[in-house]
Amino acid sequence: MQATTQIDAAAAKAAGMDPGRLEQLANSLHLQYVTAGKLPHLRLLVSREERVLLSHISGIARAGGEPLQPDSLFRIASMTKPITSVAFMMLVEQGLVALDDPVTNILPEFENLSVGLGREALKQPMRMIDLLRHTSGLTYGLQRQTAIDAEYRRLSLDEFQQKRSSADFVAALSQLPLEFSPGERWNYSVATDVLGVIVERLSSLDLASFFDRHIFQPLGMSDTFFELPEDKVDRMTDAWQLGPDERLSLYDRGARSGWRRNLRFRSGGGGLISTAHDYHRFARMLLRGGELDGVRLLKAETVAAMHANHLPGAGDLAQHSSSMFSEADYAGIGFGLGFATDLRTGEYFWGGVFSTFFFIDPREKIIGLLMTQHLPSNVYPIRRQLRDAVRGAIVTRFG
């Protein structure tokens, strides 16, 4: 299957990277996943000191055989979460809210939350930081572990494109018990969707408008949105899912995508569409400490706090997690304010259920980005392979 790999060899050498190893990375992942039929397509981007050193495109964007393009659009799912977290931290910097504030300050619907099927009282209130670091006690139905998970599935609380309004979503959640008292454990959940509702209430803007006005327009992210515009439908990729027979089948057709619908609820936990170029600009802003091209969204100390480990006792997810599913490994991985963080390397990262992924190495000034559309995201070790191979291509270390 045709692949296009662009390596800026001179820039790579100047940046202390081995261009041959970067090319080998792209070729290896292409052969192992696209040629082998495991993934429909692959879009890779690696930069150091913000200079793109590797750009790779391979595979088909749609079932009809149309090739993937540099500007193809992808459902980034949970890679929406870091953007929502940045939006919230912008409001923290404005003094409108604090990390230790009880969630009920903004969402009074949560006043009567309880824990477990026995409806026990909360040992401590749910705070804003619990939403950011997934220690809220909320869950996802896809965890498939408890009766509470089952209620989330019955009420379709995980769905990217709900027919509810933001108020209806919060009202439905408020009737269900938490899995545990806030702060006790880590559980991947709808917490960032709740955070998105808080952003809406604090700003008096719907989430799409807040993102566009305060993040996307300032950063020049013109191809990132919740609702697929009609004039960009031809750039939308198909999304595939892996069946019980281990064969791929279509989940959502780009030409008739469900992301074309105008919904009342904007999922801060998983609703966005984006491109590799746009998300790289978002990652560059983070790498630069909250600023890009003269536009500052956050203070450098705020960004540093976001990718620090905020798990209790500075532990890792292996100690604290009760999740069956998340977008990260657990051993040696902490969690900050919207990102997982590698306690050994300092890299921070997150991905989406359609197998998209990004990581930032603040010490080595590296950004890695992977775009594809394969559901679920935990089938193949491609994310780990990407991170390991990029580290292996470093010739001169900065950190």
Side-chain angles (χ1 to χ4, degrees):
M1 189 171 290
Q2 186 175 1
T4 301
T5 302
Q6 296 178 329
I7 303 289
D8 191 332
K13 291 177 181 177
M17 302 286 284
D18 185 330
R21 289 193 176 185
L22 290 175
E23 186 170 18
Q24 183 181 12
L25 155 65
N27 292 340
S28 175
L29 294 183
H30 168 68
L31 289 171
Q32 185 176 351
Y33 291 105
V34 180
T35 301
K38 294 178 179 178
L39 295 177
H41 52 250
L42 198 58
R43 176 78 167 101
L44 298 174
L45 189 153
V46 176
S47 67
R48 194 175 200 187
E49 294 186 295
E50 303 178 64
R51 179 77 177 266
V52 175
L53 308 179
L54 163 65
S55 177
H56 171 90
I57 304 168
S58 61
I60 58 171
R62 292 185 173 179
E66 299 93 327
L68 196 70
Q69 300 295 330
D71 64 350
S72 288
L73 294 163
F74 302 88
R75 305 153 192 82
I76 62 171
S78 287
M79 276 168 59
T80 304
K81 288 180 170 70
I83 296 174
T84 304
S85 301
V86 163
F88 179 82
M89 295 306 293
M90 293 171 72
L91 299 176
V92 170
E93 285 195 351
Q94 293 172 29
L96 298 177
V97 66
L99 293 177
D100 286 337
D101 283 353
V103 172
T104 51
N105 283 8
I106 309 301
L107 302 181
E109 298 96 322
F110 278 13
E111 286 285 358
N112 297 315
L113 287 178
S114 57
V115 176
L117 297 181
R119 297 284 183 170
E120 299 173 5
L122 276 61
K123 296 177 183 177
Q124 58 186 6
M126 185 191 298
R127 298 175 297 157
M128 299 298 177
I129 192 172
D130 291 314
L131 297 175
L132 285 155
R133 67 183 183 181
H134 291 288
T135 55
S136 64
L138 296 165
T139 191
Y140 268 133
L142 57 80
Q143 298 292 359
R144 295 185 178 273
Q145 296 187 90
T146 70
I148 299 172
D149 294 339
E151 278 298 287
Y152 274 61
R153 292 195 299 276
R154 184 181 71 82
L155 296 172
S156 301
L157 291 170
D158 292 10
E159 289 186 2
F160 300 114
Q161 299 185 315
Q162 301 189 29
K163 297 179 181 178
R164 297 177 173 91
S165 65
S166 297
D168 292 339
F169 175 75
V170 171
L173 278 180
S174 71
Q175 302 304 308
L176 300 178
L178 301 177
E179 293 281 9
F180 50 84
S181 194
E184 286 188 343
R185 301 205 300 275
W186 188 91
N187 191 47
Y188 194 41
S189 73
V190 300
T192 317
D193 288 294
V194 175
L195 199 68
V197 178
I198 290 171
V199 169
E200 291 183 334
R201 295 195 183 181
L202 285 169
S203 66
S204 299
L205 293 170
D206 66 82
L207 201 59
S209 296
F210 185 96
F211 282 178
D212 189 56
R213 186 178 304 178
H214 296 291
I215 299 176
F216 300 155
Q217 287 189 35
L219 293 183
M221 296 171 63
S222 59
D223 283 328
T224 306
F225 26 70
F226 284 104
E227 181 183 343
L228 177 62
E230 287 301 315
D231 63 352
K232 298 185 180 184
V233 168
D234 61 333
R235 293 166 50 196
M236 186 70 167
T237 51
D238 288 348
W240 281 262
Q241 61 186 341
L242 189 67
D245 59 355
E246 297 191 354
R247 300 184 65 179
L248 294 177
S249 62
L250 282 174
Y251 173 85
D252 182 66
R253 289 187 180 273
R256 299 196 299 272
S257 177
W259 273 255
R260 295 171 71 177
R261 292 195 290 267
N262 183 12
L263 301 174
R264 293 185 296 163
F265 179 71
R266 303 303 191 184
S267 171
L272 285 174
I273 299 164
S274 191
T275 62
H277 174 268
D278 270 20
Y279 212 90
H280 186 243
R281 289 191 64 81
F282 177 73
R284 285 175 60 202
M285 177 275 295
L286 293 169
L287 179 63
R288 292 170 62 93
E291 175 272 335
L292 182 65
D293 294 341
V295 175
R296 180 163 293 281
L297 268 59
L298 292 170
K299 298 175 182 177
E301 53 265 37
T302 299
V303 175
M306 291 182 73
H307 62 79
N309 183 22
H310 287 268
L311 292 179
D316 65 2
L317 293 178
Q319 295 171 263
H320 293 287
S321 176
S322 58
S323 286
M324 182 71 69
F325 173 84
S326 84
E327 299 292 348
D329 296 330
Y330 294 162
I333 303 298
F335 206 87
L337 308 178
F339 316 97
T341 183
D342 190 310
L343 301 179
R344 180 178 62 87
T345 67
E347 296 169 356
Y348 57 102
F349 58 90
W350 205 241
V353 76
F354 291 105
S355 301
T356 58
F357 179 71
F358 84 104
F359 75 90
I360 298 173
D361 187 330
R363 298 174 189 167
E364 302 295 347
K365 310 301 182 187
I366 289 173
I367 297 169
L369 185 64
L370 180 159
M371 295 290 200
T372 189
Q373 298 283 261
H374 176 279
L375 180 73
S377 59
N378 59 352
V379 178
Y380 305 121
I382 186 170
R383 296 169 172 179
R384 172 63 63 181
Q385 290 172 303
L386 174 64
R387 290 176 61 206
D388 288 349
V390 171
R391 279 200 302 274
I394 298 173
V395 176
T396 304
R397 295 195 172 273
F398 298 163

